[in-house]
Amino acid sequence: MTPPRPPIPPPTSPPPPAHPLPRPLTLRPDVCATDTEDGMVLLDEVTGRYWQLNRTAALVLRGLLDGAAPPDTARALRAAYPRLTPERADADTDSITRALLAAHLVVPA
């Protein structure tokens, strides 16, 4: 009988993103943004498609458009949501940024 394997210790820090995010970012010229009570709405004027961002995504986008680096944007996210862990704030910032880039709503400035 084989003895049980010891548990694998958790990583001490999250792994770096597979691909660094470009910065600074700006909205694509034919995308307009409007603040709403619950976050922000983006309109792609070419396709006519609307994108509704919740408060978290809007906070991340505003930070990035203001020229903040993703780690600074994640810190702003934690300041707005104190119960958020640093790892979760980093992951959310990364995920939101990548989604905005993938949707071609933002581009490198």
Side-chain angles (χ1 to χ4, degrees), residues 7-104:
I8 299 172
T12 55
S13 63
H19 304 285
L21 295 169
R23 68 172 284 264
L25 296 173
T26 188
L27 286 176
R28 209 178 70 223
D30 45 10
V31 172
C32 58
T34 302
D35 289 319
T36 66
E37 190 174 312
D38 296 325
M40 185 183 288
V41 173
L42 303 177
L43 170 63
D44 181 331
E45 296 174 336
V46 172
T47 66
R49 186 169 182 189
Y50 283 91
W51 299 77
Q52 184 162 351
L53 306 182
N54 63 19
R55 288 183 180 127
T56 300
L59 189 151
V60 169
L61 177 58
R62 283 188 202 102
L64 296 171
L65 294 178
D66 287 342
D72 297 327
T73 303
R75 277 191 287 282
L77 199 55
R78 289 194 313 269
Y81 301 99
R83 294 176 49 167
L84 198 60
T85 66
E87 295 80 14
R88 179 63 188 264
D90 290 341
D92 287 355
T93 298
D94 185 77
S95 174
I96 292 165
T97 305
R98 290 181 190 283
L100 291 165
L101 285 162
H104 305 287

